[in-house]
Amino acid sequence: MSLIEAQGLVKRFGDFTAVDGIDVRVEAGEAFGFLGPNGAGKSSTMRMVGCVSPPTDGQLRIFGMDPVRDGPAIRSRLGVCPQQDSLDLELTCLENLTVYARYFGIPRKVARERARELLDFVQLGDRADSPVEPLSGGMKRRLVIARALINEPEIVLLDEPTTGLDPQARHLVWERLFRLKQRGVTLVLTTHYMDEAEQLCDRLVVMDAGKIVAEDAPRALIERYSTREVVELRFGLDGLDTYADKLAGVGERLEVLPDRILLYAADGDDAVAQVHGRGLTPSSVLVRRSTLEDVFLHLTGRTLVD
Amino acid sequence: MGGTVAVLGHHLTIYRRVWRGSVFTSFLVPVLFLLGMGISVGGYVDERQGPLGVPYLDFIAPGLLMSTALQVAVSEAMWPVFDGFAWSRRYEVMRTAPVRTRDILLGHVAFVQLRALIAVAGFLLVMTLFGAVHSALAPLALPVGVLVGCATSIPIFGYSAHVKSENMFAVVMRFGVIPMTLFAGVFFEVGAMPPAARALAYVSPLWHGVELARGATLGVDTAWSWPLHVGYLLLWIAVGWPLALRQFTRRLDT
């Protein structure tokens, strides 16, 4: 049985359709990602899975149960890390965990022991009795993750777990999440960071305008929707379109951006040789591996979504 | 039930960090009020040998007692509720645990009544020290204070869940709390007002609380029979609860 199973899942707010008939399955032990631009429907989906937002249509089962009828029973087995930190700033780190533990009916003594272990796990052990207010953004996020683990959940839902964190803090969060996954906890996360999705997710869906536009393992998506390598060529800013004409046929696909041309090719060096062979001399050449970002932009377009 | 208790426990844990300030306020404010209004204004009023039958200070003390319950309960149902949705997002976090929205509302309502009860108890103690209590029924003013707290704060829970800006709370103060404090029988008998104004006083929950509290601390008869006053306050609760729950559900379960 899949831990999460959605079929034709729809969420509407008035006339606005946030989630437009998606099918998703998450298996035990997986790290599953929802990737998409702002407004793609990721958070609405997460709220439905978290049993706080009833689906408008379609079918949703979590642990084989119905989120509307069995909400409390499902939530007692979920860990939720919301997008905003939402901690009790007046309380200490330890109290933030023990207060939350009482919602799960965890006895005080057990709650205290577990809270201390979790604070150690997220490397805040020495902050147990300090107030939350002065903690850095990364520390607060780790505290929220620790709080989400207080009931020893089978699935942890993480809504943009590293948004707004500096690189060191992000890597520390990733590393902790990776440890969780190793322990067999199922992770479901939303992100718009491609590197995060590549680092953490075994499988992911790309969402756009409430629909799933692609679904697979990160590497498989790159292979399917992009090429192995990408060549970035710069020629100065004028007349990139005329260069594009001259480059026709090099590589599998070509994209003109305001400041550079991207050549999608299986072999980047070979493509560069062909560029030079046509008598063109770009001011700079960069050959890189294709990333999930290339897939993402290919699937959801480059138009800015605010 | 367990969910409600956990929500109440959450608010109490936070209150434990900040209680000192509020306890100070609940003793200092009544002392200042009783000194300022009762003794100074009372000096003039009592000289005229009016129809009150008791010293002015003793007359207004139960009124101030109920307006304290009103003010504590209503303010606790405004900013902290707005905070729960918009700033700390505490409610959203509670909702991720296996508690229901009604537990979240009921637990917070219970906490607010506890705050009102503490304030009323402090005030009643100060009143007793001032010699303003004339009846053994006076402890009944405590549950009356909680009743006033519930009747006025539960609808405000709904209002605070509904408004989009904290600026809307000034409306409650200007058109609710302040007029009630001034014209709902705290400082003078409502019979002294013209019929239209008197009708507004009868509509206000505070007047009914003041009548009951005055009956308790002075041992005098209430304006209407006491079950009517109690029933009217219960009516505010009965109407306010579904409204508040609907707003909380709209915010937390969509």
Side-chain angles (χ1 to χ4, degrees):
Chain A
M1 183 192 73
S2 308
L3 287 193
I4 301 172
E5 220 178 316
Q7 273 175 351
L9 189 61
V10 173
K11 183 71 197 183
R12 273 191 284 270
F13 299 100
D15 292 337
F16 174 68
T17 304
V19 179
D20 194 4
I22 62 169
D23 300 332
V24 176
R25 261 171 192 280
V26 180
E27 309 297 336
E30 242 189 333
F32 187 88
F34 288 95
L35 187 64
N38 290 336
K42 309 185 297 286
S43 293
S44 297
T45 306
M46 288 292 256
R47 285 172 51 76
M48 286 191 278
V49 174
C51 309
V52 292
S53 168
T56 313
D57 204 355
Q59 224 204 23
L60 179 62
R61 287 284 176 277
I62 298 133
F63 305 120
M65 292 186 279
D66 174 13
V68 175
R69 207 185 50 225
D70 310 314
I74 298 170
R75 289 202 300 274
S76 69
R77 297 162 67 182
L78 293 180
V80 180
C81 179
Q83 211 176 97
Q84 283 87 4
D85 284 335
S86 50
L87 292 157
D88 285 311
L89 300 181
E90 305 88 341
L91 303 182
T92 64
C93 293
L94 190 78
E95 284 172 327
N96 263 279
L97 303 195
T98 52
V99 153
Y100 190 65
R102 282 157 76 177
Y103 291 115
F104 296 88
I106 301 168
R108 274 163 208 270
K109 191 164 167 291
V110 179
R112 289 183 71 83
E113 281 165 15
R114 217 182 265 177
R116 291 215 180 260
E117 279 167 29
L118 286 171
L119 288 176
D120 285 337
F121 174 69
V122 296
Q123 297 175 336
L124 288 171
D126 53 339
R127 299 285 191 141
D129 300 309
S130 336
V132 170
E133 181 103 62
L135 297 186
S136 71
M139 288 171 161
K140 282 181 181 152
R141 192 59 55 88
R142 268 146 50 208
L143 185 58
V144 172
I145 292 172
R147 184 178 64 189
L149 300 175
I150 196 79
N151 57 326
E152 301 183 323
E154 292 154 70
I155 304 176
V156 179
L157 306 175
L158 302 126
D159 201 353
E160 300 192 7
T162 64
T163 297
L165 300 188
D166 63 41
Q168 285 81 2
R170 291 179 72 200
H171 279 275
L172 189 50
V173 168
W174 287 348
E175 194 252 327
R176 293 294 107 177
L177 292 178
F178 190 73
R179 290 274 183 96
L180 271 184
K181 199 182 129 190
Q182 282 180 318
R183 291 182 184 182
V185 176
T186 306
L187 302 180
V188 178
L189 58 109
T190 72
T191 184
H192 47 231
Y193 292 130
M194 307 308 131
D195 49 350
E196 184 156 286
E198 278 189 83
Q199 286 261 354
L200 289 175
C201 299
D202 300 316
R203 218 152 51 81
L204 57 88
V205 291
V206 179
M207 285 187 78
D208 195 25
K211 286 183 169 21
I212 290 176
V213 291
E215 172 179 359
D216 216 325
R219 213 52 241 174
L221 284 174
I222 292 167
E223 278 161 24
R224 188 168 351 139
Y225 293 102
S226 191
T227 48
R228 205 172 65 86
E229 291 185 319
V230 180
V231 184
E232 301 198 2
L233 301 170
R234 289 172 195 266
F235 290 97
L237 292 178
D238 297 324
L240 281 180
D241 286 323
T242 54
Y243 285 108
D245 294 339
K246 291 175 188 164
L247 286 167
V250 182
E252 289 175 26
R253 187 159 59 85
L254 171 153
E255 189 177 5
V256 182
L257 300 185
D259 61 337
R260 61 194 193 276
I261 294 175
L262 302 186
L263 284 177
Y264 294 87
D267 183 338
D269 290 329
D270 178 57
V272 173
Q274 288 185 48
V275 172
H276 288 299
R278 294 188 183 189
L280 298 171
T281 49
S283 58
S284 88
V285 177
L286 170 71
V287 179
R288 60 169 173 81
R289 266 169 66 95
S290 195
T291 68
L292 208 47
E293 187 149 2
D294 299 305
V295 174
F296 184 73
L297 293 173
H298 176 58
L299 289 171
T300 66
R302 287 189 187 270
T303 321
L304 182 66
V305 184
D306 279 319
Chain B
M1 196 59 201
T4 307
V5 172
V7 173
L8 175 62
H10 191 157
H11 290 289
L12 284 173
T13 308
I14 297 168
Y15 185 57
R16 220 172 52 194
R17 296 258 154 201
V18 295
W19 67 277
R20 284 174 194 88
S22 76
V23 166
F24 182 68
T25 314
S26 51
F27 279 93
L28 188 72
V29 170
V31 169
L32 291 178
F33 256 98
L34 290 175
L35 282 175
M37 304 299 296
I39 295 180
S40 62
V41 180
Y44 298 109
V45 176
D46 295 337
E47 248 172 49
R48 294 183 173 194
Q49 299 279 321
L52 291 177
V54 290
Y56 186 61
L57 186 144
D58 303 4
F59 175 78
I60 63 165
L64 290 172
L65 184 70
M66 289 303 111
S67 82
T68 300
L70 165 80
Q71 292 193 16
V72 170
V74 167
S75 354
E76 283 288 318
M78 291 196 292
W79 289 275
V81 172
F82 196 80
D83 172 63
F85 287 112
W87 299 323
S88 74
R89 294 169 167 270
R90 192 168 289 131
Y91 294 142
E92 200 177 301
V93 176
M94 293 173 180
R95 194 69 183 81
T96 63
V99 290
R100 297 165 305 172
T101 297
R102 58 186 309 121
D103 300 325
I104 295 174
L105 177 59
L106 187 58
H108 200 171
V109 166
F111 170 73
V112 169
Q113 304 327 314
L114 206 62
R115 289 276 288 106
L117 181 64
I118 293 169
V120 169
F123 201 123
L124 191 61
L125 185 67
V126 173
M127 273 170 66
T128 313
L129 297 176
F130 271 81
V133 169
H134 298 211
S135 165
L137 293 176
L140 285 177
L142 297 177
V144 174
V146 172
L147 202 55
V148 168
C150 285
T152 53
S153 67
I154 290 173
I156 298 297
F157 267 85
Y159 179 81
S160 305
H162 178 75
V163 296
K164 291 187 174 59
S165 154
E166 69 202 281
N167 297 331
M168 295 305 286
F169 295 142
V171 176
V172 175
M173 296 308 280
R174 264 179 229 147
F175 297 103
V177 173
I178 294 173
M180 267 200 272
T181 306
L182 291 176
F183 301 110
V186 173
F187 296 106
F188 53 89
E189 297 269 21
V190 295
M193 294 193 295
R198 211 183 308 156
L200 281 178
Y202 292 158
V203 172
S204 80
L206 182 61
W207 178 70
H208 298 269
V210 171
E211 279 302 316
L212 289 167
R214 201 162 273 147
T217 65
L218 299 180
V220 296
D221 287 339
T222 47
W224 303 349
S225 74
W226 69 264
L228 270 177
H229 292 300
V230 171
Y232 184 72
L233 291 171
L234 290 175
L235 183 69
W236 272 73
I237 298 171
V239 173
W241 173 262
L243 293 177
L245 186 59
R246 200 170 80 186
Q247 291 303 325
F248 266 60
T249 304
R250 190 181 61 83
R251 292 294 294 269
L252 293 174
D253 297 353
T254 51

